[in-house]
Structures are given as C-alpha cells and as structure tokens.
Amino acid sequence: QSQEESQQQQDPRQGFRDQHQKIRKVREGDVIALPAGVADWFYNDAQTPLVLVQIMDTSNPANQLDNNFRVSHRGESQSQSRRGGSGGQEQRSGNIFQGFDEQFLAEAFNVDTDLARRMKNENDNRGVIVRVEDRLQFLTPEFSEEERSEYQRGRPANGVEETFCSARLKQNINDPSRADVYNPRAGRITSVNSHNLPILRSLRLSAQKGHLYQNAIMAPHWNMNAHSICYFTRGTGRVQIVDENGRSVFDGEVREGQILTAPHNFAVVKRAGGEGLEWVAFKTNDQAKISQLAGRVSSMRAFPEEVIANSFQVSREEARRLKFNRDEVTLFSPGSRSQYRA
C-alpha cells in the first residue's frame, strides 16, 4: 500500500500531502545492497548510535571515470569524508546545486530565486551528517522486512541471440513517433540502446536525440553509468555542467556544430534559445541511465518533505514547493515561473 493511499484512508479530507519511496527499517546486522547511482538517505530514530559500514565497488562497469569513488550530496556545502585505500585520503564533497546558476535552478524547480539560492547551502558547514531539530514524521513499516535483490551485470544467453551476420544494424532516432519522452510544450527525447537495437550490447554504446523547443529546459540530471558526448545539430542554447563537488566546470552558450562532453556523475542542465536546440548524444553504455534532480520522476520528488527541509534548512512549505512545483518529466516548458521574476 502506497503512502498516498494510507494517508487518504486516515483522513480523506486531507487528500494528497506527500509521496516518496518506500521507507525500510534497518537494525544491527542488516546488509543493504544499492545499485550504482541510487539516491539514498538514512535517519536514526533510536536512542543509540547507528554505525554504518559501507563498501563501494569502484571497479563496477557503471564507474566510467576511473577507480576513485565519487559521491554527490544535496544538503551540505563543506564536508570531509574518509576514504579507505592508500593513506586514507580525504575527499571533499559539496552540495551538487552549488555549481548551478540560481536562475537556472529557479526555472528548473519552478520556485523563486531566493529559495533557489538557499538550496545551494553556501554558508552551511554542517557536513554530510546533520542533526534534526525535531523528530522526522513519515510512514514506515511496522517491522523490518527481508528482501533479496539480484543485480546482474548482463543477461544470460537464451540460445536464440542474433548473430552478427543477421543482426539488425540500424534504428532511426529522428522519427518523432519513436520518442521516449514527449512534452508538447517543451520537446522530445528519443533513445537508441540495447533494448531496441540489441547489437549495441556488444558495442557497449547507446545514443540519444534531443529536441528542445524555444526556451524550454531539459531537467537538471546526472549520467549514472556513462559519459555523454553531445553534438549539437541545430539551434542555440545554454548548458551548465557541474562536477560531483558542486563546482561549475562549464557554463556557456552552445550552437550548431559544437561538441560538449559530460562525464559520468557530472550534473547537466540545458536550456534552448529562441530558435530551439537539437543534439545527438553518444553514451558509453548500452543502457545509459540518467537521474533527474527536478521534476515528477526526480530523486527530489522521492524524498519526504521533512528530509528536504532539514537538508536545505528551509520550511516545510518551501520543501513542498521544491518537490511538487515541477510536475513535468525530463523536459520542462518555459514561462511557467514568470510570476517570480524580479
């Protein structure tokens, strides 16, 4: 039963209040398996300390950059995290929103620029572990649940795979009817990967065709398991790229004929100019995935309001706006936040 259904049964007059992913209780001795790129948070509601031992597989095929572990945090700006290995190196990890322009954030989340500025937590020195002033309130399972998840790095052979001599070698990426994401006010995204062109499984590559309408935005997101090499084929726009420490590594105008690389785990946001913006992105994984920071299917939408409020030191109402002010998926229409412009 979803949290939304439970809340409506408790008091139908209240209707929808908050919705997030299923919350799981943990206790001493539990082992939790999380795939690469998954957003997570932990909250200790007990009276004794909670000790977490984490093991990261930096040789996982999803780690495209190198053998160094990288993590992006959302609610803190200055932190030091201890990493195992030679010399126990220290690694800085900042608020991923710090590198983005506040106007970009305001448009992406459909909020005013003051709240967008506060999301960056530029003067927040609490680190990655913060103390909650009051107890967090959300629905949780009454008892611990045992779940087993198996993550396979590849699909087993079934005996009827395509041979190279008979394999289908092409797939049209420019056909609007094949779009995976379509917003009539913002544009469309079409992907070709090993699901619809199986030979890409052998090449470990995929491609994406993007078409943004005039002044539309592609949601802030990061590449979970691939580098992205983007060739702009038409129009103009502005692109920002932010590394895992919240530093802006690119912020500029792009136009037809230019190439831009967004490394694995770097956050990206695109906004089209007055002529629209089109591109083809080549990705170094046959099932490349992104994780959105804003919008209806974003990780922000999955977090409880109280977690967001405590992470960014904002009110519950402001946290609710960050969660729900953008109800579109991946592609955002322009002009919806004109009421906030100064």
Side-chain angles (χ1 to χ4, degrees):
Q1 187 179 42
S2 69
Q3 181 181 13
E4 177 183 352
E5 292 170 344
S6 299
Q7 289 174 338
Q8 289 177 345
Q9 288 178 10
Q10 292 172 5
D11 188 351
R13 295 172 299 176
Q14 293 183 359
F16 179 86
R17 291 184 297 171
D18 192 12
Q19 184 178 7
H20 50 76
Q21 295 174 342
K22 178 180 178 180
I23 296 174
R24 295 168 170 83
K25 283 187 173 293
V26 297
R27 62 182 180 182
E28 182 179 351
D30 283 348
V31 175
I32 305 171
L34 298 176
V38 167
D40 61 89
W41 57 274
F42 288 86
Y43 171 57
N44 184 7
D45 60 352
Q47 301 300 316
T48 57
L50 174 64
V51 178
L52 301 176
V53 179
Q54 293 181 297
I55 298 176
M56 281 73 68
D57 179 14
T58 58
S59 64
N60 189 302
N63 192 13
Q64 293 276 309
L65 281 176
D66 48 41
N67 285 329
N68 294 319
F69 171 67
R70 289 173 170 82
V71 60
S72 297
H73 296 284
R74 295 186 180 83
E76 54 85 22
S77 58
Q78 303 288 335
S79 71
Q80 299 286 343
S81 59
R82 179 71 61 178
R83 182 180 63 193
S86 59
Q89 304 175 15
E90 289 189 349
Q91 176 182 345
R92 297 182 66 87
S93 183
N95 180 348
I96 195 171
F97 294 116
Q98 277 190 359
F100 285 118
D101 179 81
E102 62 190 46
Q103 292 286 347
F104 246 155
L105 288 177
E107 292 189 44
F109 284 90
N110 192 23
V111 297
D112 57 85
T113 52
D114 179 66
L115 179 54
R117 189 180 304 114
R118 293 167 66 188
M119 286 177 63
K120 301 171 76 169
N121 287 85
E122 294 176 335
N123 298 316
D124 186 357
N125 297 314
R126 294 178 298 166
V128 299
I129 299 177
V130 300
R131 181 176 296 277
V132 179
E133 293 182 4
D134 299 310
R135 292 177 65 88
L136 295 184
Q137 301 294 325
F138 40 71
L139 292 180
T140 58
E142 187 173 352
F143 302 102
S144 299
E145 299 181 1
E146 295 182 1
E147 298 178 353
R148 291 186 305 171
S149 300
E150 181 180 353
Y151 301 102
Q152 297 179 341
R153 293 189 176 181
R155 292 181 232 167
N158 59 19
V160 291
E161 286 72 29
E162 291 181 308
T163 61
F164 279 101
C165 59
S166 62
R168 183 165 57 89
L169 300 179
K170 66 178 181 179
Q171 171 88 347
N172 189 285
I173 202 172
N174 208 36
D175 184 352
S177 66
R178 295 177 180 265
D180 300 291
V181 177
Y182 173 63
N183 184 333
R185 297 174 300 277
R188 61 181 182 269
I189 297 289
T190 307
S191 298
V192 173
N193 52 38
S194 58
H195 289 298
N196 50 24
L197 190 60
I199 195 172
L200 292 176
R201 192 178 306 126
S202 301
L203 304 179
R204 298 301 304 274
L205 294 172
S206 58
Q208 175 196 79
K209 173 64 185 296
H211 184 181
L212 283 177
Y213 298 160
Q214 180 181 7
N215 299 323
I217 296 176
M218 183 173 181
H221 64 275
W222 76 79
N223 297 298
M224 295 173 62
N225 60 351
H227 302 313
S228 179
I229 304 168
C230 190
Y231 175 68
F232 296 95
T233 59
R234 178 183 167 277
T236 60
R238 181 185 175 190
V239 177
Q240 272 199 296
I241 301 177
V242 175
D243 70 9
E244 74 277 3
N245 293 315
R247 293 188 297 256
S248 178
V249 297
F250 179 84
D251 181 4
E253 301 295 322
V254 295
R255 63 181 183 275
E256 178 181 339
Q258 291 184 325
I259 295 177
L260 188 63
T261 299
H264 162 237
N265 215 44
F266 281 38
V268 185
V269 61
K270 299 184 180 78
R271 180 174 62 196
E275 304 174 359
L277 183 65
E278 295 185 30
W279 69 88
V280 176
F282 303 96
K283 304 199 174 188
T284 58
N285 194 302
D286 63 292
Q287 295 183 26
K289 299 178 178 65
I290 68 171
S291 180
Q292 290 184 207
L293 295 166
R296 182 152 55 92
V297 296
S298 67
S299 53
M300 185 71 74
R301 180 69 70 95
F303 292 141
E305 289 176 7
E306 292 205 13
V307 172
I308 297 174
N310 280 275
S311 296
F312 295 109
Q313 292 187 301
V314 299
S315 67
R316 286 286 299 271
E317 174 60 30
E318 290 170 324
R320 191 174 300 116
R321 285 157 53 194
L322 290 175
K323 278 172 65 78
F324 299 118
N325 267 24
R326 273 293 185 187
D327 202 41
E328 296 167 301
V329 176
T330 307
L331 303 179
F332 299 160
S333 55
S336 59
R337 60 170 298 275
S338 57
Q339 57 181 316
Y340 297 121
R341 294 187 185 278

